[in-house]
Amino acid sequence: MAQKTLDPEYMPQLKMTQPVAQFGPFPSWYSKEGEHKIVSIDPMGHIPVEAFGKYLDKGFDIRPTIAVTKAHIDLPECKEAIREGRLAPDGAIMTQDGQSHITKVAMEPVWYLPGIAQRFEVTEQNLRESLFRETNMMYPELITRPDLKVFLPPVGGCTVYIWGDPKKIPDPDIELTVRVHDECNGSDVFGSDICTCRPYLTHAIEESIRTAQNGGTGVVIYYRKEGRALGEVTKYLVYNMRKRQEGGDRAEEYFNCTQHVAGVTDSRFQAIMPDPLHWLGITKIHKLISMSNMKYDAITASGIEVVERVPIPPELVPKDAAVEITAKVFEGYEGGGVYKVDEAMMSKVQGRDYDYRKTDIENAAAAGREALQGSGVAAKKQKV
Ligand SMILES: [Zn+2]
């Protein structure tokens, strides 16, 4: 906008952008007796023409917040699963060369403030004031326009990946595998071995493919909640503290380190996490690929039945991620009989030593100071 490359008056051309698969409408899309199953997305966000046609005709600028498309995805772990005989290509769900066919749904958050307040068990006024304050007063309408009930928060949304026929998802008699995954760029994309994120994600994809091949569906929801929603900078600061602390990186200090750096052990909220599940019309999950007690509690509290919880297979846990999995199971994550953690293990399970020697850190700091002096930045600072 500042560079004037996008006309602020531009109206998007949405012809031929419609969803490639049909979803809903499901009973969960509508409020019942003051209870809202969906408060954080617009259930009609993918069908603006059908839902808001008369307003579009009047010239209102109404844009989709949900888009549905298809893709072929290609993951090295799926190819490995074929080589090792865990997956078999069938030409439909999975091709001979290991590609799988999916339907995917991108969702942006659309918050219905009275419903969000209800979920967080705060008053709408309290919610509005907090949002206003914590966004540096960027949205004065939160306070001045209580009649505007919807807010588009400047936070990340999610993407839903579906294996199998999406029409089968709402049928409780057809097997459904689900993982609700929170973004971890370091592991998901770049393969860091300090956590279980990517291996657990690819395990969920493998399970989803298998379920789809057996006539069911698999759903993986990928949320942009990097570093327990604290962000990657905080996450790396915590990594440094974990590796540098006296006694080294160990399970008993795993959550404490995040608490010391961020003031909380986790800033994700699961209260609105199940909304996309209700958008998909899910009432029963046969296999939940998650060990998180917080996610399980939120999903079941929202009225969805969960039959089985699947922990990450131990052989998939990366070497340096033993600290994480031990700490999480001790704190209440579901180990499913595969992981058993007692107090003694909390001090025993150790992570890799990154060799952050004191002399190295001091040398690096000294070199940094020297470089700054050379650049004149430090000198300028002193003058001020
Ligand atoms: Zn991770």
Side-chain angles (χ1 to χ4, degrees), residues 300-319:
T300 51
S302 78
I304 294 172
E305 184 191 344
V306 173
V307 180
E308 187 195 349
R309 297 158 79 178
V310 182
I312 182 171
E315 64 274 19
L316 296 183
V317 176
K319 219 175 166 197

Side-chain angles (χ1 to χ4, degrees), residues 214-350:
N214 290 334
T217 43
V219 169
V220 172
I221 306 190
Y222 192 89
Y223 272 102
R224 303 317 188 289
K225 292 185 186 176
E226 176 62 64
R228 291 191 217 135
L230 292 162
E232 224 176 11
V233 168
T234 301
K235 185 168 166 174
Y236 292 4
L237 298 175
V238 173
Y239 287 160
N240 285 351
M241 184 184 277
R242 280 175 55 187
K243 299 295 181 185
R244 259 181 200 157
Q245 65 187 323
E246 214 167 306
D249 184 18
R250 59 205 189 277
E252 64 182 352
E253 286 302 318
Y254 174 81
F255 284 108
N256 289 343
C257 287
T258 312
Q259 175 76 36
H260 293 325
V261 174
V264 283
T265 55
D266 196 325
S267 80
R268 287 171 293 186
F269 34 79
Q270 303 296 349
I272 54 176
M273 173 273 285
D275 285 22
L277 301 173
H278 291 290
W279 183 82
L280 292 163
I282 293 173
T283 55
K284 183 174 178 177
I285 296 171
H286 298 74
K287 263 188 195 171
L288 178 65
I289 316 288
S290 172
M291 294 165 72
S292 165
N293 48 331
M294 289 166 285
K295 287 178 185 166
Y296 172 81
D297 291 346
I299 291 170
T300 51
S302 78
I304 294 172
E305 184 191 344
V306 173
V307 180
E308 187 195 349
R309 297 158 79 178
V310 182
I312 182 171
E315 64 274 19
L316 296 183
V317 176
K319 219 175 166 197
D320 203 32
V323 169
E324 181 203 84
I325 204 97
T326 305
K328 282 182 167 178
V329 172
F330 189 75
E331 284 298 318
Y333 273 56
E334 174 60 38
V338 180
Y339 300 92
K340 286 194 182 77
V341 175
D342 58 27
E343 188 109 37
M345 281 173 75
M346 290 293 282
S347 55
K348 255 192 233 142
V349 174
Q350 293 260 340

Side-chain angles (χ1 to χ4, degrees), residues 184 187 195 197:
C184 170
S187 166
C195 56
C197 302

Side-chain angles (χ1 to χ4, degrees), residues 73 75-82 84 86-87 94 100 161 163 175-181 187-188 195-213 217-222 287-291 308-318 325 334-336 338-339:
I73 63 169
L75 289 162
E77 284 87 347
C78 289
K79 291 188 163 135
E80 193 188 306
I82 293 178
E84 292 186 356
R86 298 197 308 269
L87 281 178
M94 199 178 201
S100 60
Y161 283 79
W163 288 260
E175 202 188 338
L176 176 65
T177 293
V178 170
R179 172 162 176 80
V180 180
H181 185 93
S187 166
D188 293 346
C195 56
T196 55
C197 302
R198 182 175 170 107
Y200 212 177
L201 176 65
T202 54
H203 179 65
I205 292 171
E206 199 178 310
E207 288 283 345
S208 292
I209 292 171
R210 245 192 309 274
T211 308
Q213 288 179 328
T217 43
V219 169
V220 172
I221 306 190
Y222 192 89
K287 263 188 195 171
L288 178 65
I289 316 288
S290 172
M291 294 165 72
E308 187 195 349
R309 297 158 79 178
V310 182
I312 182 171
E315 64 274 19
L316 296 183
V317 176
I325 204 97
E334 174 60 38
V338 180
Y339 300 92

Side-chain angles (χ1 to χ4, degrees), residues 85-118:
R86 298 197 308 269
L87 281 178
D90 60 359
I93 305 289
M94 199 178 201
T95 62
Q96 290 300 328
D97 54 1
Q99 281 194 339
S100 60
H101 299 171
I102 52 122
T103 306
K104 59 181 178 181
V105 185
M107 296 181 169
E108 282 170 9
V110 177
W111 285 7
Y112 174 61
L113 293 172
I116 297 273
Q118 206 177 26

